[in-house]
Amino acid sequence: MVAGYGIGIRDPQLTVAEELKDTMKRFNDWLAAKITQGMATMWCAYVFLLWSLIPLIFPEAQSVVFYVSGGIIQLVALSLIMVGQNVLGRDAIKQAKETHDTVMEEREMLKKELCLANLERNETKHLHQLALKELIEIKEVNKKLSKIAEAKDVMIGL
């Protein structure tokens, strides 16, 4: 079944005439899409090939085969395929728009995540710099403590 063309849940705001019109439109779209999809198969090509070979077996049926092939099939199939292509094209456009909208939403989310990641990176850099300063201060304090300890050792040794 082609998406969106089945008989669905009744819309309470539609009048009976609008509902009938909407139902007929959905049915026509569904049928046109199904026929278009069916005619775009090798099985349809096989059927038409067999149909065209009928006059070889039954020469008296040639006029009927030509009438059906040239008149009915070509005229009806042409309009059905055109309508079906329009219906399938609308579906493709709708799907492409939905995909585009989804991709754009994901893009916006990724931009926000990237912004947050940059903020976190900057904060991490800042914390790293603070930690380096603390480490340098600790080393300086250790040097001072070593000097004090050496001086204490020297005073005790005297």
Side-chain angles (χ1 to χ4, degrees):
M1 180 172 196
V2 177
Y5 301 108
I7 308 295
I9 298 174
R10 183 179 177 279
D11 186 351
Q13 295 188 0
L14 293 178
T15 64
V16 174
E18 289 172 331
E19 187 175 335
L20 181 62
K21 183 179 175 182
D22 183 55
T23 302
M24 286 303 297
K25 181 185 179 333
R26 285 185 289 137
F27 173 76
N28 289 336
D29 287 351
W30 174 82
L31 184 62
K34 282 298 185 186
I35 290 173
T36 299
Q37 290 170 339
M39 292 188 81
T41 65
M42 282 305 296
W43 290 110
C44 185
Y46 295 145
V47 169
F48 288 158
L49 174 66
L50 292 175
W51 180 257
S52 69
L53 295 176
I54 290 176
L56 295 176
I57 301 169
F58 304 104
E60 64 277 359
Q62 184 172 2
S63 61
V64 173
V65 170
F66 286 162
Y67 172 73
V68 171
S69 299
I72 297 174
I73 292 177
Q74 285 183 6
L75 291 174
V76 173
L78 178 64
S79 62
L80 281 173
I81 290 173
M82 288 173 61
V83 171
Q85 287 296 321
N86 286 341
V87 170
L88 295 173
R90 278 195 315 253
D91 280 354
I93 289 170
K94 180 181 175 185
Q95 185 177 12
K97 184 180 180 334
E98 289 173 358
T99 301
H100 176 265
D101 292 346
T102 302
V103 167
M104 294 307 290
E105 287 174 10
E106 289 178 6
R107 179 178 179 261
E108 290 302 316
M109 287 185 344
L110 287 173
K111 284 171 87 176
K112 290 176 183 176
E113 288 177 12
L114 180 61
C115 183
L116 289 174
N118 284 334
L119 289 173
E120 287 177 5
R121 186 189 71 201
N122 291 338
E123 186 176 329
T124 303
K125 280 183 180 179
H126 181 69
L127 290 174
H128 181 70
Q129 290 172 349
L130 288 176
L132 285 175
K133 286 180 184 177
E134 290 290 323
L135 184 62
I136 291 170
E137 287 177 13
I138 289 172
K139 284 183 179 181
E140 289 176 3
V141 168
N142 282 341
K143 283 181 185 178
K144 288 178 182 177
L145 287 175
S146 293
K147 286 180 182 179
I148 292 173
E150 285 176 13
K152 185 178 178 185
D153 288 341
V154 168
M155 291 181 102
I156 292 176
L158 289 177

